[in-house]
Amino acid sequence: MTQSHGSWTVYKNCLLYCIHRLLYALLLIFQRVYWKIAGIQSHLDGCKVGKKYESSAQLLRVWSRSKPTFLTILYQRHFLSTHVKFVHPEYSLQKHITLMTVTDKEAIFCVPSLETNILNVKKWPFLFHAEYETAEYILVMPIQSLIKLASVLGDPTGKVIWIHHPGRCGSTAMAQACNALPNVLTISEPHNIFSLDQSFKYKRLRNGSLDWEPTEEYLKIYQSTVRVMLSKPYLTSAEIMVVKAAPMTSKFDLSLIVELFPKFINVFMYREMREQVTSLYRTVSGFNIQRDVTAFIASSTILSHLFPKVKPLATLQNCCNDKKHVEWLLDKSSVHNHTEFIAFVISWCESCSHYIKLFEGLTHPNVPAFKYEHWQSNPDKYLETFFKLADLELTNERLQIVKNVLNEDSQKNSMFSREKVKQRGVEIPKDMIHVANSYSKFYHLPEWGDSFTLPNTVTSP
């Protein structure tokens, strides 16, 4: 894909999304009138205040969909949908249904056809993209119903391996390798926790607060989200469940998953800053107009005064909930640097600094780190170390299965395929590197190009 073709695709998607939002607005007007006359709205209002739990989930038929970017979090506004019926929240526990989006108000499930294997990571490297492409219906329930459903399900009873990572470090390939093994099921990059984090951040921003430390409400919904995602009855048949989390969530997942689900096996995958950031920048740079526009507004002296609550989208997606970090990142002296490139630097710095903080906390269990450069130099030893941690014997037969999977492009069905990425040139000038170093210095991490190995890295060259 050439850069000009990539730019045309971005503008086309945004134009189509604008048309979609116009149609969505018109549909809402007609729906509000019809739903009020038909009694649907009064039922919804009752469900939102905790009444009628047994019929509090609304099933909607999807007729059309649109989103401006590949990584856009999916909400109801991204689907043109109509009411079908009200069902019990346990309707969501069916095998083909996945928890797509969670906010402080509601949970949205993707309902594809019964024949669709939405967890096929070979076909769908990213679950959030599979949900967008395959949703024939969406199921929406109040957040109180999700919490009640989760309390009935409880914590997952099987073995769960949670892969934390900042992206572009071999995590997708590892997820597919795990999924190829018998009795192993992989969930690759769900956006439900990511959407929950963004929902609370914007809620605080609207109130003028940069204090994003997790509240009791947030932790309850977070715990419920993980429970509903992993405690479905059909999932218990898998010997091991592997969750490759979204890279944007690693900063807070590292502490919250460890605290709320102490029986989970946690792994942190990473690579050195220059290689990881360059790979991300080459892969997704220029594909998100929303990030560019919000960064421009936030860095402009005039526009930032006119729109004080607009913050760089890429920064909000990649920063943590630590008040000290947030205040520094969104300070006027720093925010003018927040290009998409710097957002990737922030993501890497946040992930690695929070991992170090976790490692230094004596109250936390062991979370081993796996370095991508070690995989490149000694793949057999790297794989042996990983599967030993998962308590999976890596027999010759299993090793061959894994190698066959790894020989393929793990992201061939996405915009991140090797062929497409190779066509995107990238150049990192010295002034960008200088800014990147100013951020790594804040986090007490090495500079651009310096060799770096995290503490508790269990792999070796």
Side-chain angles (χ1 to χ4, degrees), residues 287-306:
F287 283 84
N288 198 320
I289 291 179
Q290 289 174 304
R291 288 182 171 184
D292 295 338
V293 171
T294 53
F296 178 76
I297 293 173
S299 61
S300 168
T301 303
I302 298 175
L303 293 178
S304 61
H305 282 293
L306 293 174

Side-chain angles (χ1 to χ4, degrees), residues 115-175:
E115 296 77 24
T116 301
N117 180 10
I118 199 169
L119 297 182
N120 180 357
V121 293
K122 187 174 182 180
K123 181 177 182 180
W124 307 105
F126 308 106
L127 178 58
F128 66 84
H129 183 54
E131 290 168 332
Y132 173 75
E133 293 287 345
T134 64
E136 294 189 358
Y137 298 84
I138 55 174
L139 183 71
V140 184
M141 67 177 71
I143 200 64
Q144 295 90 341
S145 295
L146 181 80
I147 293 173
K148 186 171 182 178
L149 178 62
S151 67
V152 174
L153 294 173
D155 289 349
T157 55
K159 182 184 295 184
V160 177
I161 300 174
W162 197 283
I163 300 178
H164 311 267
H165 63 100
R168 305 301 293 174
C169 57
S171 56
T172 301
M174 182 60 76

Side-chain angles (χ1 to χ4, degrees), residues 29 49 66 254 309 312 352 382-383 427 460:
I29 294 172
V49 295
S66 181
L254 274 167
K309 294 183 180 180
C352 291
Y382 186 102
L383 292 170
E427 181 180 350
S460 58

Side-chain angles (χ1 to χ4, degrees), residues 236-247:
T236 58
S237 61
E239 180 184 344
I240 294 177
M241 285 182 287
V242 177
V243 179
K244 191 197 85 165

Side-chain angles (χ1 to χ4, degrees), residues 19-203:
I19 297 171
H20 169 89
R21 286 302 299 268
L22 176 62
L23 295 174
Y24 180 76
L26 294 172
L27 177 63
L28 276 184
I29 294 172
F30 288 108
Q31 276 190 343
R32 284 173 181 170
V33 175
Y34 172 71
W35 285 7
K36 188 171 184 179
I37 295 173
I40 296 172
Q41 189 60 52
S42 61
H43 186 94
L44 284 172
D45 293 340
C47 295
K48 289 177 182 178
V49 295
K51 300 178 181 178
K52 305 176 182 178
Y53 169 74
E54 290 76 13
S55 59
S56 60
Q58 184 185 26
L59 187 68
L60 299 129
R61 176 76 166 92
V62 173
W63 299 101
S64 178
R65 72 209 72 205
S66 181
K67 60 178 181 176
T69 71
F70 181 79
L71 295 172
T72 295
I73 297 172
L74 299 172
Y75 299 101
Q76 274 192 263
R77 62 178 176 266
H78 296 108
F79 301 92
L80 295 184
S81 59
T82 54
H83 174 80
V84 177
K85 60 181 177 180
F86 289 103
V87 296
H88 196 289
E90 291 182 358
Y91 185 95
S92 66
L93 300 181
Q94 296 179 71
K95 181 177 180 179
H96 64 298
I97 299 177
T98 57
L99 179 54
M100 181 170 65
T101 306
V102 178
T103 71
D104 61 323
K105 303 293 185 185
E106 63 187 13
I108 306 174
F109 295 78
C110 167
V111 186
S113 67
L114 287 169
E115 296 77 24
T116 301
N117 180 10
I118 199 169
L119 297 182
N120 180 357
V121 293
K122 187 174 182 180
K123 181 177 182 180
W124 307 105
F126 308 106
L127 178 58
F128 66 84
H129 183 54
E131 290 168 332
Y132 173 75
E133 293 287 345
T134 64
E136 294 189 358
Y137 298 84
I138 55 174
L139 183 71
V140 184
M141 67 177 71
I143 200 64
Q144 295 90 341
S145 295
L146 181 80
I147 293 173
K148 186 171 182 178
L149 178 62
S151 67
V152 174
L153 294 173
D155 289 349
T157 55
K159 182 184 295 184
V160 177
I161 300 174
W162 197 283
I163 300 178
H164 311 267
H165 63 100
R168 305 301 293 174
C169 57
S171 56
T172 301
M174 182 60 76
Q176 294 188 0
C178 291
N179 198 66
L181 298 176
N183 299 320
V184 179
L185 186 145
T186 300
I187 299 176
S188 181
E189 295 203 21
H191 266 184
N192 40 46
I193 290 178
F194 179 40
S195 61
L196 174 64
D197 173 71
Q198 293 296 292
S199 171
F200 272 80
K201 282 180 178 176
Y202 280 102
K203 183 179 180 180

